[in-house]
Amino acid sequence: MRRKPALNDRTAGVSEVPPDGGAPTSTAEGVARRSAVAEEQAFLDLATARCDRLADHLQVELSSETLDALERARQRMLRQQHEELRRAREGLVFGRLDGLDGTVRHIGRVGLRNDGEDGEPLLLDWRAPAARPFYTATAVDPQGQARRRHIRTTGSAVVGVDDEPLDGTTTAELVGEGALLAALDQRRTGRMSTAISTLQREQDDIIRAEATGPLIVQGGPGTGKTVVALHRVAYLLFTHRRMADQAVLVLGPSPRFLQYIAQVLPALGETAVVSATCDTLLAEIRVGRDESRLLAEIKGRALWQPALESYVASLLPRPRELKLRWEGEFYVITAARVAQALASAVQGRPYHRARAAFAEQLHHLLAEAVAEQREALMNEMEEGFEDILARVDRGMGHDHHSARTSTGSDIDGLLSEEEIEHLRARIAENATVARFIEAWWPTLDAETLLGDLLTDHTLLARIAPQLSPEEITTVAAEPAPWASSDIPLLDALADLLGEVDAPQPQGEFVADRARRQRGWVYGHVVIDEAQELSEMQWQMVLRRCPSRSITAVGDIDQAEAAHRHTSWAQAVQAAFGDRWTAAELTICYRTPREVMDLTEPVLKKAGSHNAPPRAVRSSGIAPWELTVMSAELADAAAQVVRQLQQRWHGGTVGVIAPAERIAELLAVLSDVPVLTASQSKGLEWDATLLIDPQGIAAEPRGWNSLYVALTRCTQELGQLLLTQEGHSKPGCGGSEDL
């Protein structure tokens, strides 16, 4: 923090070096621009040098040999800090706050302290509480700030600044509007980048919200749902350090989507994160079969959770008398004792943990039975000799009771407590006893159990009576391998069975350990495209985060999954009941106004009661249509894509089509993504070519899918409409000349 210079410019605007090197429109304006850029360049150089010195110091520390476990833990922490500094060098400084009290605070990817002993921050971490006014201060509520400055950099050079007075002289709707719109107008690279320099207030409110329960964030296309979700992860890990000890799980809709966002969290300095889809949460299981929407809907219902609990409970052994052999003798454990041990062992434990608890009790019961039988035998022997001993003692004048003062098998044949415990340990290690327990209470496998269940009409009717005979027939008719809807059922069974042995996962970083263990409990879970989750998939999430510290972002109007939910209340009722918090993102930053104007009638046909988000930018390019004959589709698509690639050179072009058209298009389009609407969810391109929109609308939940497809572009949308006969004709927007 430092004192600020006098403000040179009291109006909002962009200050930058002219890209063509030409002279500014006025001498005063040029001087102000150069002065602002030079000032921030000097600070960036200072911060970069400080960052490099810290990184070098950490590198020296890391070169020392590790000795004990404590030192190795410290080394892991230092490596993480070193990696954070290394990644932060790109875009290290991006903002500045000038306070009404004369202070200046720079905002960046990481926090840096001055070299001096005063410990004052040189650079504020964007997640720190003191940095929040950078995202939330307005002219109406300046929060003690006079000006906000967005600093744009390329590599190690400052290329522009965007000043925004907060003293009431301007009332801009967006925070850092110039910087935001400049970022939105940049070419897309096929990878998501961080947005810490351009976050808006409604986004920041969600990022910094409490993490004490489920937070469901509704946001239409282009509102920054994914940006908010990922930056919330970074904020929570920074604010709640203990959360990093448990890791955060990020669930995305597809592997392509996870690849798209892969570098965002590492760029924000976070490594305690596991990314997965619902299909990949069970690392050892692979989805190998598509399934009908009807079957997916049936298997996704919440009824399967209690049904599977009942199924596993029915596999527990029933109390009965047990007869075990030990060292040539048979010993009987009564049904009453077995029932008592069973009840004590189960007590809410998973199947295999309950078996382990019962086995331990059975070892004690057998050891006690051996000791009791030995004592009974000794008592019988003593009764036979009692009269003889008494006569001998009387004749000899001895009191035989006074001689029996010691105990132990060597003295009186009875086992001491120590000897009984030793016997129990021997029983626990005995292979014959282990085989007996395995036969009576066998080890079970989730895949085998589910396979048996899903092919047995009678068993299905018994454990899931809510299913109709027709639904049972549908479920039982599908063969292996596993489909996507089977994964939550397998996960539920694996949880109900528990591990036979539960070794501690190994790995240097917490994310590595969490990734390897199915039963890992995460500190927080973030779900993107959460509207697609079935009720059973929500159960998978709850098992991994019983604290319910969950952030779910999505758009209920973009739901394409087989379930029948049309509102968030329906979607999360089975998992959370009414105990969840709603938030909403209302502004569309990505999709231009020209495209968003097309979406309202599509939403209505999808059955939505929501208004589309409000677009805040215009690309200046009207959406266009081109009608072609069906037989000419592939060639026409290839030609249009080439033209779009030339128009958006350095950016990205994506193609979205009905599922039945994908193979045909892939044959001629090898250098652009060709996806169904569902596969395109969460992605964005500079230009989108939408093929056969009516064909997409005709698919299941097709109007929802068309809503997704229309809103993937950041600049230009073109549509190829199909006709079976006739001739090609131009559509709207000048489509003859692309």
Side-chain angles (χ1 to χ4, degrees), residues 465-508:
Q466 304 95 320
L467 296 178
S468 69
E470 294 77 17
E471 290 171 334
I472 290 174
T473 298
T474 299
V475 170
E478 293 289 340
W482 301 120
S484 180
S485 66
D486 293 319
I487 302 301
L489 306 186
L490 285 168
D491 188 63
L493 275 176
D495 183 69
L496 291 166
L497 292 177
E499 302 289 341
V500 178
D501 297 304
Q504 289 299 312
Q506 300 299 310
E508 184 174 12

Side-chain angles (χ1 to χ4, degrees), residues 132-215:
R132 191 173 191 196
F134 183 75
Y135 302 105
T136 59
T138 64
V140 177
D141 178 23
Q143 299 174 31
Q145 308 305 315
R147 181 178 67 180
R148 171 172 39 232
R149 170 175 285 178
H150 285 262
I151 303 165
R152 289 183 282 131
T153 61
T154 299
S156 59
V158 175
V159 298
V161 298
D162 178 29
D163 285 336
E164 186 180 356
L166 298 171
D167 58 359
T169 59
T170 63
T171 56
E173 177 184 21
L174 301 175
V175 172
E177 183 171 357
L180 173 63
L181 297 181
L184 292 172
D185 284 336
Q186 290 178 351
R187 294 287 194 269
R188 265 41 192 176
T189 64
R191 292 290 187 99
M192 175 175 279
S193 58
T194 65
I196 48 177
S197 64
T198 56
L199 292 172
Q200 300 298 297
R201 178 162 189 160
E202 70 173 12
Q203 296 173 324
D204 188 74
D205 286 343
I206 293 170
I207 288 169
R208 299 176 192 258
E210 291 295 324
T212 54
L215 176 65

Side-chain angles (χ1 to χ4, degrees), residues 8 48 100 127 183 261 318 329 395 635 661:
N8 296 318
T48 301
L100 291 169
R127 295 161 290 192
I261 67 170
R318 297 295 178 257
E329 297 289 337
D635 290 339
R661 300 281 182 184

Side-chain angles (χ1 to χ4, degrees), residues 213-224:
L215 176 65
I216 310 297
V217 182
Q218 162 65 26
T223 55

Side-chain angles (χ1 to χ4, degrees), residues 399-408 411-412:
D399 181 359
H400 70 281
H401 293 290
S402 63
R404 300 176 62 189
T405 58
S406 300
T407 61
I411 304 300
D412 56 10

